């Protein structure tokens, strides 16, 4: 573990966090793949899968603000562990229903909704925990390592899930996912952090905590501009790429195998860029990040314009690189410019605004694609995605933001 790029892994607490995230990510991605096949075994209707996916997204959006408050109040590791135990229990219940042959769509949707509530608590807590564990001067490297881990999981986990689904069936694959949640929670036990600061006068109410977070969000221009933009961007991506993309691939000469290659090329772009960003300082995180989002739109524009597989794979690779730059830039902006004691709450407002339209994209693009044509809607989504990404750069606070700790980060990188 020599060299500045791997400096965070020399910290014992970060290593435990990293191991927990590795198990959690692999299991979660495998579980999502297996769940899709499980739903399709219960019902062959694409609408059934959309209902189950939305059943996860909607409660996550509804409860994410509460999740941010709980993480700031009661400690982020405790909230992550509790949410993992809840998610693990629901996954085991889903697996039991599928393996017994008695699963129905409404049951899967209900249990997935409980998992969505757990995710609403888990995500803000995870986002706020990493900067508490990153060694001083190595925040970019810690985030880049976290991104690299996520991206490698995106390459490995779908293939592993496919092998499990084919070899054992989706029920057993989901059961394994349930077990990974429990292991991930246990791996956080060695991490000891100071308890959240005591509140004066016995503590503020949850409503007051939410108002404090909202006040910061509302006053911070770069924050609400990007979140507002991503409310639309995530709807376009989830609908135009994730929902219509597989349907278009299956109905065209791209085929299922071609679609898998496109996804793999995108994952390769993510991984490659994560490695680069371990050493290259990102001095203007939001400027480069939103330009990266505009580049990401290229894969939807290409998919809406051609069926040439090599073109689509190149576009996906470049798009993966672009969205990874945004991901790191956004984490650095949040972690360096938001007060630590309200970081999870502000993250929860970010997640609410960014995720609220995802179910809309998941549910709306299917009928739109059927009416206007799959490829036409994918192309329209890509053009709109690019335009909105560039529009955010008309805000001076977005394009002019610089790193708060760029000096220390640069010294670690260059040493």
């Amino acid at each position: 573990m020599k060299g500045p790029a791997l400096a965070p892994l020399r910290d014992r607490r970060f290593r435990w966090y990293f191991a927990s995230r590795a198990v959690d990510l692999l299991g979660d991605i495998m579980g999502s793949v297996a769940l899709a096949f499980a739903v399709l075994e219960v019902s062959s209707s694409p609408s059934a899968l959309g209902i189950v996916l939305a059943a996860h997204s909607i409660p996550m959006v509804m409860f994410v603000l509460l999740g941010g408050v709980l993480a700031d109040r009661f400690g982020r590791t405790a909230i992550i562990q509790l949410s993992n135990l809840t998610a693990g229990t629901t996954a085991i219940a889903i697996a039991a229903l599928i393996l017994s042959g008695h699963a129905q769509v409404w049951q899967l949707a209900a249990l997935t909704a409980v998992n969505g509530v757990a995710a609403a608590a888990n995500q803000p807590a995870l986002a706020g925990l990493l900067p508490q564990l990153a060694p001083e001067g190595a925040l970019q490297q810690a985030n880049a390592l976290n991104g690299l881990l996520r991206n490698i999981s995106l390459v490995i986990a779908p293939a592993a899930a496919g092998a499990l689904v084919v070899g054992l069936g989706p029920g057993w694959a989901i059961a394994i996912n349930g077990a990974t949640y429990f292991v991930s929670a246990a791996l956080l036990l060695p991490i000891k952090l100071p308890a959240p600061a005591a509140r004066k006068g016995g503590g503020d109410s949850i409503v007051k905590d939410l108002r404090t977070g909202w006040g910061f969000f509302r006053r911070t221009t770069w924050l609400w501009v990007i979140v507002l933009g991503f409310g639309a961007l995530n709807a376009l991506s989830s609908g135009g790429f994730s929902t219509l993309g597989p349907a278009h691939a299956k109905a065209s000469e791209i085929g299922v195998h071609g679609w898998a290659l496109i996804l793999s090329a995108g994952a390769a772009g993510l991984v490659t860029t994560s490695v680069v960003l371990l050493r290259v300082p990102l001095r203007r995180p939001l400027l480069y990040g939103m330009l990266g989002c505009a580049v990401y739109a290229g894969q939807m524009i290409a998919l809406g314009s051609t069926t040439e597989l090599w073109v689509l794979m190149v576009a996906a690779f470049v798009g993966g690189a672009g969205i990874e730059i945004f991901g790191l830039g956004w984490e650095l902006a949040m972690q360096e410019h938001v007060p630590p004691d309200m970081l999870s709450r502000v993250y929860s407002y970010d997640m609410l605004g960014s995720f609220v339209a995802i179910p809309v994209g998941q549910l709306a693009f299917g009928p739109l694609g059927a009416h206007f044509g799959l490829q036409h809607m994918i192309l329209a989504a890509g053009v709109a995605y690019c335009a909105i990404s560039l529009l955010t750069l008309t805000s001076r606070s977005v394009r002019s933001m610089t790193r708060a700790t760029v000096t220390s980060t640069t010294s670690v990188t260059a040493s």
Side-chain angles (χ1 to χ4, degrees), residues 26-40:
L26 286 170
D28 206 26
I29 296 168
M30 286 193 299
S32 64
V33 173
L35 180 62
F37 286 104
V39 174
L40 292 174

Side-chain angles (χ1 to χ4, degrees), residues 324-343:
E324 181 62 20
I325 293 171
F326 169 78
L328 178 59
W330 183 245
E331 298 297 344
L332 293 173
M334 291 284 282
Q335 294 166 9
E336 294 183 346
H337 294 274
V338 176
D341 63 337
M342 67 169 68
L343 184 56

Side-chain angles (χ1 to χ4, degrees), residues 115-372:
N115 204 325
V117 175
N122 189 56
Q123 295 305 310
L126 275 173
L129 179 61
L130 185 143
Q132 287 186 275
L133 302 176
E136 184 178 357
L139 186 60
Q140 177 169 328
Q141 288 84 353
N143 279 284
L145 282 169
N146 196 46
L148 180 61
L149 179 63
R150 180 185 64 250
N151 297 332
I152 291 174
S153 299
L154 287 171
V155 175
I156 296 173
L164 286 171
V165 169
V166 172
L168 300 176
W172 284 109
I174 293 172
I176 292 171
N177 174 216
T180 63
Y181 283 118
F182 298 128
V183 173
S184 177
L187 288 170
L188 292 177
L189 289 172
I191 297 176
K192 305 299 180 185
L193 292 171
R199 310 290 177 113
K200 295 180 180 180
D204 296 329
S205 68
I206 288 176
V207 173
K208 188 170 183 180
D209 280 351
L210 287 172
R211 286 176 177 169
T212 303
W214 171 249
F216 181 88
F217 181 90
R218 178 174 53 83
R219 294 189 303 270
T220 309
T221 303
W222 60 265
L223 184 55
W224 64 257
V225 166
I226 298 297
V227 171
L228 181 64
F230 260 85
L233 294 179
N234 282 336
L236 292 166
S237 178
S238 65
F241 188 77
S242 301
T243 302
L244 297 188
H248 169 56
K250 188 175 181 181
S252 68
E253 57 265 40
I254 296 171
V256 175
H257 179 66
W259 181 248
L261 290 174
I262 291 168
L263 295 181
S264 296
L270 290 167
V271 171
T272 302
T273 307
S274 297
V275 173
V276 172
L277 291 173
L278 281 169
R279 295 189 174 276
V280 178
L282 201 59
R283 301 176 186 274
R284 304 281 290 275
L286 295 185
L287 171 63
Y288 298 141
M290 294 315 298
L291 290 174
C293 287
V295 169
Y296 173 80
Q299 66 179 355
M300 283 187 280
I301 294 172
L303 190 61
S305 306
T306 182
T307 56
E308 287 286 343
L309 186 56
W310 73 270
V311 174
L312 298 175
M313 290 179 65
V314 170
F317 180 90
V318 175
I323 205 67
E324 181 62 20
I325 293 171
F326 169 78
L328 178 59
W330 183 245
E331 298 297 344
L332 293 173
M334 291 284 282
Q335 294 166 9
E336 294 183 346
H337 294 274
V338 176
D341 63 337
M342 67 169 68
L343 184 56
S344 288
R345 269 172 290 169
V346 175
Y347 262 117
S348 71
Y349 278 104
D350 160 35
M351 292 171 186
L352 175 64
S354 299
F355 296 165
V356 68
I358 288 179
V360 176
Q362 290 169 334
L363 296 173
F365 266 76
L368 289 171
H371 183 74
F372 295 105

